[in-house]
Amino acid sequence: MTTEIDPTALAVFIFFFVLVTVMGFIAARWRRPKTLARIDEWGLGGRSFGTWITWFLVGGDFYTAYTVIAVPALVYSVGAYGFFALPYTIIVYPFVFMVMPVLWKRAKDNGYVTAGDVVHGQYGSRALELAVAITGVIATMPYIALQLVGMTAVFKALGLHGEIPLAASFIILALYTYSAGLRAPALIAFVKDIMIYIVVIAAIALIPAKLGGYANVFAAADAAFKAKGSGSLLLAGNQYVAYATLALGSALAAFMYPHTLTGIFASNSGRTIRKNAALLPAYTLLLGLLALLGYMGHAAGLKLESANDVVPALFQTLFSGWFAGFAFAAIAIGALVPAAVMSIGAANLFTRNFWKAYINPQVTEAGEAKVAKVTSLIVKIGALLVILFLPTQFALDLQLLGGIWIMQTLPALVFGLYSNWFRGPGLLAGWVVGFFGGTYLVWINGLKPLQAISLGGTPFTVYIGLLALIANIVAAVIVNVVTPARATARA
């Protein structure tokens, strides 16, 4: 991949980057409330977003720049196994359709802003609330850092070396998020997703034509996997269970993250959420088309230092400078939207479930908003420092663990929506078993998310997050049965 500056590509990139920066600051006046000095106005957009805004916002923070870079990179490296993201994003929407409107109503009726609020309100347990809040924050931090990995790949392709472009981009992001809150990424998400759709449609139409057609693309990828002795166009027999459990586990974890829940809580009704559950699979189609770029990298004969360079290298090699700049801008903006929503989600958690719960219970609404704004700045700076001063592999490993950790909050957050049988001590015990048990399994497997097990003498490889969740639920049931019931007061 060429890393020299292309003036045309750079000019187009800068134009769109400046455009969304201006939009980010204007967003403070978009659908302007009487005041932004309330956490549900700054951090949830006043819970007023309708179908289209929610569609772009949730899609924008669910399908990130790292997704655009990492999914084709995984397909480029291992082939069919990299497509696990497709069934996972199909499974997740029935879950969203059934569960999220119920969760939204609980949050709306009681003024809850975070998952920690919901858990405390349901079980009256500060310890369980703290566990859910800590899990949300530490699972989100590496996710934000990985958005910078996506931006780094783009800057590298543009010939922008060093740390200044990355730092400058995140400082700008931090400032307009501080100013406009969730309205900024919601407004920018319109531009980002329209650009991504244009890029992907152009790529799947033009790249195969330039490479001799899809038959040649698949043949070249098949030949490349056979030559290196790993990866394949089809799953091997021993990958089926691992693939299925990874997809199911990822689906169960996806809407437990603070940033996805922020998009849900910002909706104006349960009906809006159900409409989005029906409309959001359009992004799954987009993701499947994006994944094919991994195979196209082989057909284009790219020589890459890192698999993460496959998408930028394809656009740089096969398209004119202006369109490459447009595509790079789409990917970079695709990092800003989710990073903003993630930092807001983490800031809301800190404000409501740490600051208000333990440091200043009498904090005013304006004080809450102020703490959340400052925390969102600190979160972004922390993510930036992780990427600048620690190996990227560190963020990758933490993000891997983050998926397993955040899944362990599902019983506490979801079970109470349908039943009052579970209590705080049982669910806290389940969280401890799932969180630390899952971490231990990942550790002894060399920071790999899969565990080999044997059922009836037949060996299987299973996603550790799902094993940890099962252990979590079993522990919660046992502790719930053996401990005496006490009245639970809703907060």
Side-chain angles (χ1 to χ4, degrees), residues 39 42 347 350-352 355-356 360 363 366-378:
I39 195 168
W42 179 84
F350 177 83
T351 304
R352 297 285 291 206
W355 188 270
K356 186 173 183 178
N360 184 7
V363 64
E368 278 189 331
K370 185 72 174 178
V371 172
K373 288 179 177 182
V374 173
T375 305
S376 77
L377 288 176
I378 296 172

Side-chain angles (χ1 to χ4, degrees), residues 244-259:
T245 55
L246 188 60
L248 177 59
S250 300
L252 293 175
F255 275 79
M256 297 297 108
Y257 279 101
H259 59 284

Side-chain angles (χ1 to χ4, degrees), residues 283-375:
Y283 281 96
T284 302
L285 174 63
L286 183 76
L287 185 62
L289 299 175
L290 267 170
L292 289 174
L293 296 180
Y295 289 153
M296 295 177 195
H298 289 295
L302 300 178
K303 304 299 180 187
L304 306 173
E305 295 178 6
S306 164
N308 283 341
D309 294 334
V310 65
V311 170
L314 273 173
F315 284 99
Q316 196 176 47
T317 305
L318 299 174
F319 287 93
S320 58
W322 74 267
F323 192 78
F326 180 83
F328 295 160
I331 297 171
I333 296 167
L336 299 182
V337 171
V341 184
M342 289 170 190
S343 70
I344 290 170
N348 289 345
L349 276 171
F350 177 83
T351 304
R352 297 285 291 206
N353 309 119
F354 293 94
W355 188 270
K356 186 173 183 178
Y358 296 100
I359 299 174
N360 184 7
Q362 306 306 319
V363 64
T364 63
E365 288 184 336
E368 278 189 331
K370 185 72 174 178
V371 172
K373 288 179 177 182
V374 173
T375 305

Side-chain angles (χ1 to χ4, degrees), residues 336-477:
L336 299 182
V337 171
V341 184
M342 289 170 190
S343 70
I344 290 170
N348 289 345
L349 276 171
F350 177 83
T351 304
R352 297 285 291 206
N353 309 119
F354 293 94
W355 188 270
K356 186 173 183 178
Y358 296 100
I359 299 174
N360 184 7
Q362 306 306 319
V363 64
T364 63
E365 288 184 336
E368 278 189 331
K370 185 72 174 178
V371 172
K373 288 179 177 182
V374 173
T375 305
S376 77
L377 288 176
I378 296 172
V379 167
K380 292 187 195 72
I381 292 170
L384 183 62
L385 293 177
V386 166
I387 290 297
L388 294 183
F389 296 107
L390 294 175
T392 301
Q393 188 60 43
F394 181 73
L396 289 168
D397 292 340
L398 278 182
Q399 204 273 336
L400 163 71
L401 283 166
I404 294 168
W405 292 338
I406 201 68
M407 199 190 311
Q408 307 316 313
T409 66
L410 185 147
L413 187 60
V414 174
F415 289 1
L417 300 176
Y418 299 97
S419 167
N420 290 323
W421 185 77
F422 281 97
R423 298 186 302 278
L427 290 166
L428 183 61
W431 175 86
V432 170
V433 169
F435 186 96
F436 291 102
T439 304
Y440 175 73
L441 287 179
V442 171
W443 179 261
I444 64 173
N445 280 284
L447 292 176
K448 298 287 189 303
L450 301 172
Q451 171 70 36
I453 63 172
S454 177
L455 291 177
T458 304
F460 295 99
T461 304
V462 181
Y463 178 45
I464 288 173
L466 212 53
L467 290 175
L469 181 62
I470 292 170
N472 178 340
I473 296 170
V474 170
V477 170

Side-chain angles (χ1 to χ4, degrees), residues 68-342:
V68 173
I69 294 294
V71 171
L74 187 59
V75 171
Y76 176 84
S77 299
V78 303
Y81 198 77
F83 281 88
F84 86 90
L86 265 71
Y88 131 52
T89 57
I90 293 170
I91 295 168
V92 73
Y93 292 119
F95 177 79
V96 171
F97 187 91
M98 291 186 293
V99 176
M100 289 300 133
V102 182
L103 181 60
W104 175 88
K105 189 174 189 312
R106 179 69 58 86
K108 177 71 166 56
D109 290 348
N110 295 281
Y112 300 150
V113 175
T114 68
D117 289 350
V118 176
V119 168
H120 179 243
Q122 174 67 31
Y123 308 105
S125 168
R126 282 290 183 199
L128 187 60
E129 173 196 14
L130 185 63
V132 169
I134 288 175
T135 307
V137 171
I138 64 174
T140 302
M141 288 290 288
Y143 217 150
I144 300 173
L146 289 185
Q147 303 314 309
L148 276 72
V149 173
M151 292 186 76
T152 302
V154 166
F155 287 139
K156 181 180 173 184
L158 282 167
L160 300 176
H161 303 288
E163 298 155 351
I164 292 177
L166 195 61
S169 302
F170 244 54
I171 289 171
I172 293 170
L173 167 70
L175 291 176
Y176 65 64
T177 305
Y178 182 94
S179 170
L182 193 64
R183 284 172 171 78
L187 186 59
I188 294 172
F190 283 92
V191 177
K192 171 248 181 185
D193 284 355
I194 290 170
M195 291 176 72
I196 288 284
Y197 269 99
I198 291 172
V199 167
V200 173
I201 290 170
I204 61 158
L206 299 178
I207 293 179
K210 293 173 182 281
L211 298 176
Y214 274 101
N216 189 51
V217 167
F218 286 111
D222 188 40
F225 292 135
K226 287 177 179 173
K228 72 175 184 177
S230 64
S232 60
L233 291 180
L234 298 174
L235 288 175
N238 60 356
Q239 291 180 313
Y240 292 165
V241 174
Y243 184 91
T245 55
L246 188 60
L248 177 59
S250 300
L252 293 175
F255 275 79
M256 297 297 108
Y257 279 101
H259 59 284
T260 44
L261 284 177
T262 296
I264 293 296
F265 288 165
S267 304
N268 63 6
S269 71
R271 180 177 170 82
T272 292
I273 297 168
R274 289 193 179 92
K275 283 183 179 177
N276 268 275
L279 296 171
L280 279 167
Y283 281 96
T284 302
L285 174 63
L286 183 76
L287 185 62
L289 299 175
L290 267 170
L292 289 174
L293 296 180
Y295 289 153
M296 295 177 195
H298 289 295
L302 300 178
K303 304 299 180 187
L304 306 173
E305 295 178 6
S306 164
N308 283 341
D309 294 334
V310 65
V311 170
L314 273 173
F315 284 99
Q316 196 176 47
T317 305
L318 299 174
F319 287 93
S320 58
W322 74 267
F323 192 78
F326 180 83
F328 295 160
I331 297 171
I333 296 167
L336 299 182
V337 171
V341 184
M342 289 170 190

